[in-house]
Amino acid sequence: MSFRKVAVPLVAMVIFLALWELLVWANGWPNYIMASPSDLPAAYSRFWELFLVMGWQTLWRTVVGLLLAIAFGVLIGMIMGFSRTMRDALYPLLVGFNAIPKATVVPIVALLFVGAHDFNTILIAFMISFFPIAVSVSIGLSTLEPEYRDILRSLGASQSTIFWKIALPKTLPEFFGALKVAVTLAFIGTNLMEIVSPHGRGLGALFDSGKTNSDYPLMFAVLIALAFLGIVLYYVVVALEKVFAGWAERQPT
Amino acid sequence: MGEALIDIKGVTHAYATEAGPLPVLDNLNISVPEGGFVAVVGPSGCGKSTLTRLIAGLMKPDTGEVWLHGERVKSPRSTVGMAFQNPVLLEWRTILKNVMLPLEIVSTPMSKREQEERARHLLELVGLKGFEDKRPSELSGGMRQRASLCRSLIHKPEVLILDEPFGALDAFTREDLWQTMHRLKAEEPFTGVLITHDLRESIFLADQVVVLSGRPATTQYVMDIPREGIPTLDDLYTPEAADRLNILRHQIEIAQGRAPAEEAAE
Ligand SMILES: Nc1ncnc2c1ncn2[C@@H]1O[C@H](COP(=O)(O)OP(=O)(O)OP(=O)(O)O)[C@@H](O)[C@H]1O
Ligand SMILES: [Mg+2]
């Protein structure tokens, strides 16, 4: 990685923090209206242990929810991609399910499985994020040009060989595009549940406790920590994409 | 004529469409002897690609039979190689790995090293030496089509089916590839069916040209092209070649319904 690739985003981040600080300072906002970046180190150093524990909880539940979403989304996507009838049958259901704002589902799930906090959180992260994966896989498979199938099929290859050798790799770029959306969605799902459910855990619960104690710097510190985790998750997906679907990247000419 | 390697006997086929059955092939008969190379020309949409899919065993005809090497074709078989107008190379593989793809499907007595040597040799024959490790996106359309030809031959198929493989290329690249085809054929014996809409291509490459009628297609006209050795592009500009092209062009006009059929009978 070149120096430029690291330096440019870092400088952008510093400028952003400086503008934020300036905005708060210029308006003379007290920190119960808007905390400024200079309030954050104090919040982190006071609660660093909590941040690590809660951050880890948020992270693993998001990842587990996302993995389930990948497994289920790919399965549904394959079913819809290979069968016209199943696509016609499932698509409206999926669209309807996806259209329900998940914020309304969160309290229902929280009440339905009271106490099963890990399960609830993972469930919401999963429900909110499998849709783009299912759609991208099904579109990728159903738009595969027939000639691609035919070059293998004319040699007597089985459906599963065609899937592994051609259909799956060919769908990977779309899959990763969807995964980038899904990872952000799963993260939102996790946090919704953590904030809403009573006696929750994770960064969402830490945020909630900041709210009940009117600890505004803590709330902002959680926001920044969430942003950091979000960035890490996103770039993990980007790195995986480079490894598995790097061939789809256009060479700069 | 000796034993036919490809024998298409009275093949009739219709597609089921929303507007009812669409007859595409009507009692079609074509037979190609071992080592022969037949070009099939006909109006657009008359059923040429359908014919290739039937020969390859990708579909079954409604009635009639397709025989390859004395065996009735009921499903795809590994003794067939195919190339299409779209080269369909896999973007995530190098050119060499693309060419070797069929060997991952069909069983072959070749060792891994022999397989790779054969792939490299074929690539050299078509003028792609030095591009083995490139990705398809780094090649021009003509180069991709060359690679696709190598892929169709890598497993030493008895039968090569080409569906307008040069259709999307410019005239110079196309003529270049015609000569490549002759080079390949001299080294790699195969029996071939070439679908094309280029009459010059048909008389340059094939030893028999079959003109199909409009949809539903049936054999309308057959022309034998005498072959002595490898032709040169100059051979396309002789009076004999001009006569052949004229006759074929006229037959196509009849097939398209643009010229009355009686005229041709004279
Ligand atoms: N899977 C299918 N279902 C229904 N109709 C089809 C199907 N495939 C082809 N057809 C129709 O059958 C006819 C013949 O198609 P085919 O592709 O064999 O023609 P072609 O001679 O190869 O045409 P071209 O010269 O344009 O390549 C066309 O009218 C086409 O619309
Ligand atoms: Mg066609």
Side-chain angles (χ1 to χ4, degrees), chain A residues 152-153 156-169, chain B residues 93 101 104-106:
Chain A
L152 286 196
R153 218 156 71 79
S158 66
Q159 280 296 336
S160 74
T161 308
I162 294 174
F163 177 75
W164 288 111
K165 289 217 185 281
I166 295 193
L168 179 76
Chain B
R93 288 173 172 240
L101 175 71
E104 296 167 24
I105 313 293
V106 306

Side-chain angles (χ1 to χ4, degrees), chain B residues 117-188:
Chain B
E117 266 166 23
R118 178 168 166 76
R120 287 182 188 279
H121 176 67
L122 283 174
L123 283 169
E124 190 175 346
L125 264 182
V126 302
L128 281 183
K129 194 175 166 57
F131 290 89
E132 293 87 351
D133 298 324
K134 294 256 189 288
R135 301 276 165 151
S137 56
E138 298 174 86
L139 268 59
S140 71
M143 290 156 102
R144 273 180 238 180
Q145 201 50 263
R146 287 168 204 269
S148 158
L149 279 176
C150 293
R151 182 182 59 196
S152 67
L153 286 170
I154 186 79
H155 55 300
K156 303 189 178 166
E158 287 178 349
V159 174
L160 185 65
I161 303 171
L162 305 172
D163 191 353
E164 302 195 25
F166 316 126
L169 304 174
D170 66 276
F172 299 125
T173 310
R174 204 184 293 177
E175 289 174 356
D176 212 30
L177 273 163
W178 294 349
Q179 284 160 320
T180 304
M181 275 308 292
H182 273 295
R183 268 208 307 281
L184 280 172
K185 196 155 170 14
E187 270 214 27
E188 296 274 331

Side-chain angles (χ1 to χ4, degrees), chain B residues 48-50 163-164 195:
Chain B
K48 302 182 295 293
S49 297
T50 306
D163 191 353
E164 302 195 25
I195 310 292

Side-chain angles (χ1 to χ4, degrees), chain A residues 66-78:
Chain A
L66 191 65
L67 290 178
L68 287 176
I70 291 173
F72 185 72
V74 169
L75 183 72
I76 294 280
M78 276 170 68

